[in-house]
Amino acid sequence: MKRLFNNTLATLGDYFILAVLNLLATPILINNFGVEGYGAFVFLSIFSIYGALSIFDLGMEGSLMNFVPRMLDNGDDKQLQDTLTISLIYYAALGILLGIALYFSAGFIASRLLDDSVVLGRDKVMASISIISGIIAVQFLTIPFTAILQGMRRFVCTKGLSIVMNILRYILIVIAALQFHRIDIAFLIILGLTVVRLSVLIVIFLFRLPQFCAMRVRVNIPLLRTLFNYSSLLFISRIIGLIYNQIDKLLIWLYLAVASMTVYDVIARPAMLLRLILGVINSAVIPEIAGLHEKNDVAGIRDLYIRLVRFAYILLLPILAVLFVYIGDMLRLWVGDTFVPHAYLAMILLAVYLILPIPSIASTVVVGLEKVKQTIWIPITATLINLILSITLLHFIGIAGLLIATLCAQTFAMPFYLNRMMRFLDFTIGDIAPPLIRTASLAAVAFGVNLFARQMLSGNIPAAIAIAAVTFGLNYFISYKYLLSPDERSFLLERISKIRSRLTPDAFNR
């Protein structure tokens, strides 16, 4: 549990800083790139390993994170080295092929963006796509390094590097936006930092990891077959995830003006904090589940799943109790009055997170359990529901239709994933429902107080903010005091105490 906590904390730091940088940078980039330029920047950014092109790793990243911890526990350095060799060859070929394909597709991609815009220059868009082609080739080479490090449970290393790179990326992009107002310069900065990231990872493997210091290059075909057989199932999941996560932006690109991409990105930002929390909770789970599964520890996996779902709701619901009430005010303070009429769209997306923790954590657990094959029909069906409803509703109610489709798809997936978890891990609804009901009841009271205060104090924003802060803090305090077990409270205090001791001046002088 300590290792999982430390890895999760490292991921939290990475995601939190990324979210803060996003929030701070968005209004600056909109003002300096323009609404259409920022929309183009957002859309073109999906062509990365973190966006639409994540599908092309064919599930190999998840396969590495599943098998590497087993090799590490068995002390098999030869297998670890062979895994790095195979995955580097694999990802280098993918990155080069995809970079070339994107380069020659530049005209088609740019044409749709330029049709709706008299502001965007064709030369800037085409230059951006050419630069992105190079980014892709380098980004794919970083995947095996980060996947193996995380399979070795060295999240502190990967996330620490990510934090530094993200801070540099946003600082430099903001400076470039203020100075040049060009998206192609922004992508050139990303390319340079991606090369730096790859170089640092290579140095870490060659000089900091004893398992790879005496690296021998071997192409282990049986190992490749083992990794690829499992990754083929994860590939289907990756396709589903790609469609599910990127369908909104693709449909906006196809059917709406490029400025709508900016509206969508802005209203989706408040939910990023919730996505961040859920992503952090899921981030370090696969290696832990794989280790427990190797030991056939079903009870340990069951306890971990139920605990993670509880923690997710304890963390998410107090935030939702504030966001649902004050989302319009927050948009006004953040990006101005222009986007306040779209606040209802953000509320639809926020509602997704009332449902998402149960299926999201379950879909991660099944990877470590090697139960992807038995559950793959759930995300496939949910994605089809999302796709059909998105295409249908988009033509009638615009962006709202895309968000309603997402909500309906998650509502479908939740009970089926919960049922699979109860069967695989041998627990009943009575084991998970009572703590969730207590958490939801507490958040409902906080929501009611905030709603009443917002209506009664609509002209007194400082007072409303103060009440929101008090209810938010009380929600977490009561959750800590009464919704966590004594062991969980003791563990949390112990970890906080250790972190605090590391940050004291004495700790730095040791």
Side-chain angles (χ1 to χ4, degrees):
M1 191 66 183
K2 290 182 181 179
R3 181 177 57 208
L4 178 60
F5 179 87
N6 291 336
N7 288 335
T8 302
L9 192 64
T11 307
L12 173 61
D14 180 27
Y15 285 10
F16 176 76
I17 289 174
L18 180 60
V20 170
L21 291 170
N22 262 316
L23 291 173
L24 294 175
T26 295
I28 300 172
L29 298 182
I30 291 174
N31 289 334
N32 287 277
F33 288 152
V35 173
E36 292 183 333
Y38 182 76
F41 180 73
V42 169
F43 176 73
L44 292 176
S45 295
I46 73 173
F47 295 101
S48 74
I49 60 171
Y50 310 108
L53 299 185
S54 63
I55 181 179
F56 290 104
D57 90 329
L58 309 182
M60 184 61 76
E61 183 180 11
S63 187
L64 290 172
M65 290 182 65
N66 189 54
F67 284 98
V68 165
R70 302 167 195 242
M71 299 173 188
L72 184 67
D73 290 344
N74 294 328
D76 196 339
D77 292 352
K78 179 181 176 182
Q79 286 280 75
L80 286 170
Q81 292 177 10
D82 291 353
T83 298
L84 178 59
T85 300
I86 291 168
S87 56
L88 278 173
I89 295 170
Y90 177 85
Y91 280 111
L94 280 174
I96 292 169
L97 289 173
L98 288 171
I100 293 171
L102 182 65
Y103 180 83
F104 286 106
S105 303
F108 169 72
I109 295 169
S111 62
R112 182 65 187 86
L113 291 173
L114 297 168
D115 282 347
D116 294 318
S117 174
V118 295
V119 177
L120 291 173
R122 182 177 179 83
D123 56 336
K124 294 178 185 176
V125 174
M126 293 294 289
S128 297
I129 297 173
S130 298
I131 295 167
I132 293 169
S133 300
I135 293 172
I136 291 167
V138 183
Q139 277 184 339
F140 267 84
L141 279 173
T142 66
I143 296 177
F145 292 109
T146 56
I148 290 172
L149 278 171
Q150 291 177 178
M152 297 172 73
R153 293 123 174 174
R154 292 177 177 262
F155 284 76
V156 174
C157 180
T158 60
K159 300 307 178 184
L161 176 61
S162 180
I163 288 171
V164 174
M165 291 293 107
N166 283 331
I167 291 173
L168 287 173
R169 175 162 60 99
Y170 274 92
I171 289 174
L172 294 175
I173 287 176
V174 166
I175 292 172
L178 292 169
Q179 196 75 23
F180 303 106
H181 315 291
R182 292 172 52 180
I183 62 173
D184 55 332
I185 300 294
F187 285 115
L188 191 61
I189 290 168
I190 294 172
L191 174 59
L193 290 175
T194 306
V195 172
V196 172
R197 181 189 181 93
L198 176 61
S199 302
V200 172
L201 288 168
I202 292 172
V203 170
I204 289 171
F205 269 72
L206 290 179
F207 300 105
R208 302 296 296 175
L209 297 178
Q211 294 89 347
F212 299 95
C213 289
M215 177 80 181
R216 291 188 179 182
V217 177
R218 291 178 294 264
V219 180
N220 189 331
I221 299 301
L223 176 60
L224 174 62
R225 191 178 299 116
T226 299
L227 293 170
F228 197 78
N229 285 343
Y230 190 60
S231 71
S232 61
L233 287 173
L234 300 182
F235 173 55
I236 299 173
S237 297
R238 189 57 65 93
I239 293 176
I240 296 163
L242 169 69
I243 296 172
Y244 197 92
N245 292 323
Q246 304 299 335
I247 187 62
D248 291 355
K249 291 179 181 178
L250 290 173
L251 290 177
I252 291 171
W253 174 68
L254 281 171
Y255 296 113
L256 301 179
V258 68
S260 298
M261 195 74 73
T262 299
V263 174
Y264 178 87
D265 185 74
V266 168
I267 62 97
R269 292 291 180 177
M272 179 180 291
L273 176 61
L274 309 178
R275 185 176 181 179
L276 178 155
I277 292 170
L278 205 50
V280 167
I281 291 171
N282 279 319
S283 61
V285 170
I286 292 177
E288 296 299 326
I289 296 293
L292 292 170
H293 183 54
E294 184 77 4
K295 301 171 185 174
N296 199 28
D297 187 357
V298 175
I301 299 173
R302 176 175 63 243
D303 178 67
L304 185 57
Y305 174 72
I306 294 175
R307 183 173 291 179
L308 290 176
V309 170
R310 282 178 50 235
F311 290 169
Y313 278 109
I314 287 173
L315 292 170
L316 291 176
L317 291 183
I319 301 172
L320 285 168
V322 173
L323 288 180
F324 272 123
V325 177
Y326 295 102
I327 187 63
D329 300 312
M330 291 179 177
L331 288 176
R332 180 179 289 107
L333 291 171
W334 177 41
V335 289
D337 292 332
T338 305
F339 295 94
V340 173
H342 303 293
Y344 74 99
L345 297 173
M347 293 180 70
I348 299 172
L349 193 55
L350 291 174
V352 174
Y353 288 85
L354 295 171
I355 301 165
L356 193 56
I358 290 173
S360 176
I361 296 172
S363 66
T364 305
V365 168
V366 297
V367 176
L369 281 175
E370 299 184 36
K371 296 287 187 182
V372 175
K373 186 175 183 180
Q374 292 91 323
T375 57
I376 195 68
W377 66 272
I378 302 174
I380 289 175
T381 309
T383 301
L384 287 174
I385 291 171
N386 190 12
L387 184 60
I388 293 168
L389 286 178
S390 292
I391 294 172
T392 303
L393 295 177
L394 176 66
H395 295 288
F396 294 100
I397 53 177
I399 293 175
L402 303 177
L403 305 175
I404 290 171
T406 300
L407 179 58
C408 292
Q410 287 297 341
T411 303
F412 164 83
M414 189 270 284
F416 290 104
Y417 263 124
L418 180 58
N419 177 265
R420 294 296 97 182
M421 287 293 97
M422 289 191 294
R423 289 193 179 187
F424 294 152
L425 304 179
D426 191 26
F427 67 92
T428 67
I429 196 71
D431 295 315
I432 195 171
L436 298 187
I437 291 172
R438 290 192 290 269
T439 303
S441 300
L442 179 61
V445 172
F447 169 76
V449 172
N450 282 312
L451 185 61
F452 178 78
R454 178 68 178 82
Q455 292 174 344
M456 297 299 293
L457 302 170
S458 57
N460 192 341
I461 298 299
I465 292 174
I467 291 174
V470 170
T471 57
F472 181 75
L474 280 174
N475 204 332
Y476 276 125
F477 175 76
I478 295 171
S479 296
Y480 167 78
K481 193 73 176 176
Y482 299 105
L483 300 183
L484 295 181
S485 70
D487 288 342
E488 290 167 344
R489 290 197 299 272
S490 298
F491 174 81
L492 187 58
L493 285 174
E494 177 197 349
R495 304 315 297 168
I496 292 173
S497 177
K498 286 191 175 182
I499 292 169
R500 186 184 300 158
S501 67
R502 291 174 185 172
L503 297 178
T504 60
D506 288 342
F508 286 111
N509 294 328
R510 283 173 195 156

